[in-house]
Amino acid sequence: MDDSFEDLIASYVENKIGISERFMSDALADNLKQNLINLNNESLLLTAGIGNSEKFALDGTIRKDVIYWLDKKHNNVFENEFFDIIDAFVLYLNESCFAGITGYEFHYSLYEKGDFYLKHLDQFKNNSSRKYSMISYLNSNWKESDGGELMIHQNKSQQKISPVQGKTVFFKSNELVHEVLVTQNTRMSITGWLKSD
């Protein structure tokens, strides 16, 4: 597990975008994906908004996905396994990089065909607690024609990252403008933020 953590940190240090191809096992990704599908079938996912509780809005011209917040109180065995990995990564990050992370929040995210999320930063103007963004993808057999890439903009260049199962992306929440390109297939992930309150 430390190897995947070091992959994230080393690639982040090199390029401001950390990428690990093996942050979680295929078995865990499959189980989390099934959780997400079940929640969606039960109509428990909510339309995602923009902003936070102090300045929240629903705007389908900017963002079109549905989400469900993960919580240890749900006592879901697979979500708790995911949280165990995140706890271990936070400990590793704090010990190796003195990051000062004190908490986190994560949600499932589901994009249907035609959905997207326009350019944005992940840190709110009125709240700077989000320090790092993390996205773990749950899409097996993803093809280039499926679209839905994460597009990161930095230094007048663009980097496309395909949402392939097992891949996790890590970057500073206040640094990199990014977007989700229009997807041509159902696109699933766990998206969240490491925080310092």
Side-chain angles (χ1 to χ4, degrees):
M1 193 173 290
D2 284 0
D3 287 346
S4 65
F5 295 170
E6 192 55 38
D7 287 346
L8 277 182
I9 293 170
S11 51
Y12 166 76
V13 169
E14 182 178 342
N15 191 37
K16 293 190 176 182
I17 306 168
I19 299 177
S20 171
E21 303 287 349
R22 50 203 168 98
F23 188 76
M24 71 172 80
S25 68
D26 277 337
L28 178 56
D30 285 339
N31 286 316
L32 291 167
K33 177 169 54 181
Q34 191 57 54
N35 277 355
L36 175 49
I37 290 168
N38 293 343
L39 290 164
N40 190 45
N41 289 341
E42 294 167 20
S43 301
L44 294 175
L45 276 69
L46 301 174
T47 301
I50 54 175
N52 59 8
S53 57
E54 296 175 30
K55 194 175 181 183
F56 179 81
L58 296 174
D59 189 339
T61 66
I62 295 175
R63 178 179 188 180
K64 292 196 68 168
D65 63 319
V66 289
I67 64 170
Y68 181 91
W69 289 97
L70 278 66
D71 194 318
K72 289 181 179 178
K73 294 176 184 175
H74 297 158
N75 203 27
N76 178 281
V77 63
F78 304 117
E79 292 171 14
N80 286 345
E81 185 179 345
F82 174 79
F83 282 134
D84 287 345
I85 297 171
I86 295 298
D87 287 335
F89 178 65
V90 167
L91 181 63
Y92 188 90
L93 184 66
N94 283 341
E95 288 181 346
S96 61
C97 301
F98 308 101
I101 300 304
T102 57
Y104 51 75
E105 58 187 6
F106 285 90
H107 62 66
Y108 288 117
S109 181
L110 186 147
Y111 290 74
E112 299 287 9
K113 182 178 180 179
D115 289 351
F116 57 87
Y117 193 168
L118 298 184
K119 289 182 186 178
H120 63 283
L121 278 173
D122 279 351
Q123 194 177 82
F124 302 121
K125 291 180 180 177
N126 60 357
N127 185 328
S128 61
S129 64
R130 290 179 173 178
K131 301 304 179 186
Y132 295 95
S133 302
M134 291 188 73
I135 310 156
S136 294
Y137 295 111
L138 307 175
N139 308 293
S140 55
N141 304 314
W142 196 261
K143 305 183 296 294
E144 186 175 352
S145 60
D146 291 329
E149 294 95 342
L150 176 69
M151 176 78 85
I152 295 181
H153 303 263
Q154 68 169 322
N155 302 326
K156 298 183 180 178
S157 66
Q158 301 172 331
Q159 181 175 347
K160 275 186 187 181
I161 300 171
S162 60
V164 175
Q165 178 164 300
K167 182 183 292 182
T168 291
V169 182
F170 170 80
F171 54 90
K172 267 281 192 73
S173 298
N174 68 344
E175 280 188 352
L176 297 183
V177 172
H178 56 286
E179 61 184 308
V180 176
L181 302 181
V182 175
T183 185
Q184 302 301 322
N185 205 341
T186 302
R187 177 191 190 274
M188 293 173 279
S189 66
I190 293 179
T191 297
W193 301 273
L194 307 185
K195 302 175 74 176
S196 179
D197 294 317

